[in-house]
Amino acid sequence: MYMSKKVTRVIIIILSVILALIVAAVLLMWRFTAPLSPSDPTPDNNEEQHDENDEIVEVTGIRIVLESYEMLVGTRFWPEVIIVPEKATDLEFELHSEDERILRFQGNNWVAVGAGRVNLVATASNGITGRVMITVLAPNLRSLSFERDEMTMSVGDTTVLNPILMPEDARLDEPISYTSSNENVITVTRDGRVNAVGAGRAIVRASSDGVSTEIRINVNIPVRNIYFNINRSIVNVGDQVEFTYNVDPPNATNADISIEFDGARIISTGTNSFRCEEPGEVIITATAENGRTSTQKIQVIDVNELADEVFRLTNVERTRAGLTQLGRTHPLNQIALIRARETINHFSHTRPDGRDFVTVYNDNNIEFIVAGENLASGQRTPAEVVQAWMDSQGHRENILNNEFGNMGVGVTLDSEGRIFWTQMFMN
């Protein structure tokens, strides 16, 4: 193939340019990828990066910063913690409270939970600590109150008032003070001790930090005793009983008395009266408003039943002696009752008009051959009176007299409840 000299020269020039460009590119790549030799200078920014990576900077101090070191219970906060030096390698730290009853970590905040003084401590990873003393104050007093608005006391009573604070842990800048509206009724000491000194009504006020509350106190003169006025403690079935009562002291202010009955059946015949319907014991209880009580017992008897028992026991004694039993007639019972009533005011075998006892037979048309009389008073049961007669020679002789064939028995009561007993014998 034939080429001219001119074309050949152009090709050589082009190849020379391409070769020069390749050489230049290789030199440029080698310049930017080859490591620096120790003699090459190091740029300033590379020197600083070398210190941070290879040298440890220790924490030399730690400080806690708060907006205020005095706060109220319930305050939430997050402290600022400053570590010295700022370029310390390890900036980690922990916070803790020396008394969690006062300061505690809750949720994402520190919370003042109780009144008092407490250290908040910050501790760096290397053990360096810093602390601040925090004073937690109780909240301000919002209100005072008593458990009730009114109370009742008796003269001589004492009690201590304890106002309720709201909130319960409120801070009192001044102590609670107490006043009484009537010191003739109520006196009160600085610590809230109340003394009832007279009957009436007073208001006690408690105050502190601009808030107050009050309680009304009624003072009574208490009933110490209740005394019944009943003139007899033994009554007969069918008798009406009337009674009254007195309170001590007479000027007691809570002297409303309630009356209750228990025991044998009765029928009320008025405010303070009743009729006894059956034998037994009636118990009357009087109760004052302050709980003071008094009782009175009344024995209810049936004189006819007592007379029947005297007759039976008398014949028991005659049977023991080997004697015939006595008969009993209504006329003899009637004159025995007459004689029993006569002996209430004239206890003698002579009648109140001075005549002998046997005239009672004549007055009631009862004929007799031989007659006798036994009298007694004060015994409470048929067994007691029959035994008393058997222990007396003259009365015993009448009971065991074989000449007597019939007997009447009379039993009655006087106005004071004393029982009078009579036996009338005849043949």
Side-chain angles (χ1 to χ4, degrees):
M1 181 177 178
Y2 174 78
M3 298 178 80
S4 66
K5 291 182 179 181
K6 187 176 182 178
V7 172
T8 303
R9 175 181 272 179
V10 170
I11 290 172
I12 292 171
I13 291 171
I14 291 171
L15 290 175
S16 297
V17 171
I18 291 173
L19 180 61
L21 289 172
I22 291 172
V23 171
V26 170
L27 290 175
L28 197 57
M29 289 178 63
W30 176 85
R31 172 64 179 172
F32 285 103
T33 58
L36 295 175
S37 65
S39 59
D40 291 334
T42 302
D44 291 342
N45 60 341
N46 287 344
E47 182 178 359
E48 290 178 359
Q49 185 65 40
H50 174 80
D51 290 343
E52 289 178 359
N53 288 336
D54 298 338
E55 295 183 12
I56 296 175
V57 180
E58 292 286 346
V59 173
T60 58
I62 188 168
R63 185 160 56 93
I64 302 172
V65 179
L66 297 174
E67 291 184 4
S68 174
Y69 299 94
E70 185 176 275
M71 61 190 67
L72 293 176
V73 169
T75 301
R76 293 176 173 270
F77 65 95
W78 183 261
E80 179 184 359
V81 178
I82 299 174
I83 294 178
V84 179
E86 295 182 0
K87 297 180 180 181
T89 304
D90 190 347
L91 299 177
E92 297 293 327
F93 63 88
E94 291 184 354
L95 284 173
H96 78 274
S97 167
E98 290 187 340
D99 190 342
E100 292 196 345
R101 295 171 301 175
I102 300 174
L103 189 63
R104 185 184 307 159
F105 187 76
Q106 293 180 347
N108 296 319
N109 293 283
W110 285 92
V111 182
V113 294
R117 303 183 71 188
V118 62
N119 280 319
L120 180 61
V121 181
T123 304
S125 297
N126 66 348
I128 296 295
T129 61
R131 67 189 63 214
V132 294
M133 175 68 72
I134 297 175
T135 300
V136 180
L137 302 176
N140 294 324
L141 179 65
R142 294 198 300 271
S143 68
L144 284 173
S145 64
F146 290 115
E147 289 185 353
R148 46 186 171 170
D149 297 329
E150 188 169 0
M151 65 182 296
T152 299
M153 301 176 67
S154 296
V155 172
D157 288 351
T158 183
T159 188
V160 176
L161 296 177
N162 293 303
I164 300 171
L165 281 63
M166 183 60 67
E168 294 182 1
D169 57 349
R171 180 179 76 258
L172 298 181
D173 293 328
E174 59 184 45
I176 297 174
S177 62
Y178 300 89
T179 58
S180 170
S181 65
N182 189 343
E183 292 194 346
N184 293 322
V185 176
I186 289 292
T187 62
V188 58
T189 62
R190 291 182 178 179
D191 59 355
R193 182 172 295 277
V194 171
N195 302 294
V197 296
R201 174 178 289 187
I203 294 176
V204 173
R205 181 183 295 273
S207 303
S208 178
D209 293 356
V211 297
S212 64
T213 187
E214 62 185 31
I215 182 171
R216 294 182 298 276
I217 302 179
N218 302 308
V219 180
N220 295 322
I221 298 176
V223 173
R224 293 194 297 266
N225 288 297
I226 306 171
Y227 299 102
F228 279 101
N229 301 309
I230 300 177
N231 57 6
R232 53 180 175 164
S233 59
I234 301 178
V235 298
N236 188 31
V237 171
D239 287 351
Q240 180 167 295
V241 177
E242 295 183 356
F243 65 92
T244 59
Y245 53 82
N246 297 319
V247 297
D248 178 42
N251 63 338
T253 55
N254 57 344
D256 289 341
I257 305 297
S258 61
I259 301 294
E260 294 183 352
F261 298 92
D262 195 15
R265 182 165 53 91
I266 64 166
I267 294 178
S268 175
T269 56
T271 302
N272 293 327
S273 65
F274 60 91
R275 186 172 65 249
C276 304
E277 293 294 300
E278 63 183 9
E281 187 176 66
V282 175
I283 302 174
I284 310 174
T285 301
T287 304
E289 289 181 5
N290 66 344
R292 183 71 64 179
T293 63
S294 179
T295 60
Q296 176 70 44
K297 296 180 180 180
I298 297 176
Q299 188 66 35
V300 183
I301 64 173
D302 187 331
V303 294
N304 294 325
E305 291 183 359
L306 297 184
D308 292 344
E309 183 64 7
V310 168
F311 180 79
R312 187 188 72 81
L313 292 175
T314 300
N315 275 328
V316 168
E317 296 297 335
R318 287 178 65 87
T319 298
R320 288 175 180 170
L323 302 174
T324 59
Q325 294 195 349
L326 297 172
R328 189 182 182 194
T329 66
H330 179 69
L332 277 179
N333 285 336
Q334 288 299 106
I335 65 171
L337 184 56
I338 291 172
R339 285 295 294 135
R341 291 170 177 168
E342 290 180 349
T343 59
I344 289 176
N345 297 316
H346 187 72
F347 192 77
S348 170
H349 292 296
T350 300
R351 301 181 71 186
D353 60 5
R355 295 183 297 162
D356 191 84
F357 78 88
V358 294
T359 59
V360 73
Y361 291 90
N362 299 326
D363 292 347
N364 289 276
N365 300 315
I366 299 175
E367 296 181 356
F368 62 92
I369 298 173
V370 61
E373 180 183 71
N374 280 349
L375 303 176
S377 69
Q379 292 80 8
R380 297 178 66 89
T381 67
E384 286 182 17
V385 70
V386 171
Q387 187 60 51
W389 282 329
M390 291 299 293
D391 292 339
S392 170
Q393 182 177 350
H395 298 95
R396 179 186 178 89
E397 289 176 355
N398 277 340
I399 290 174
L400 300 182
N401 190 333
N402 201 32
E403 294 184 37
F404 296 143
N406 293 289
M407 176 182 65
V409 180
V411 182
T412 192
L413 299 171
D414 69 4
S415 60
E416 296 180 353
R418 186 178 179 88
I419 305 176
F420 288 78
W421 313 80
T422 299
Q423 286 178 318
M424 304 299 290
F425 301 94
M426 65 167 284
N427 197 1

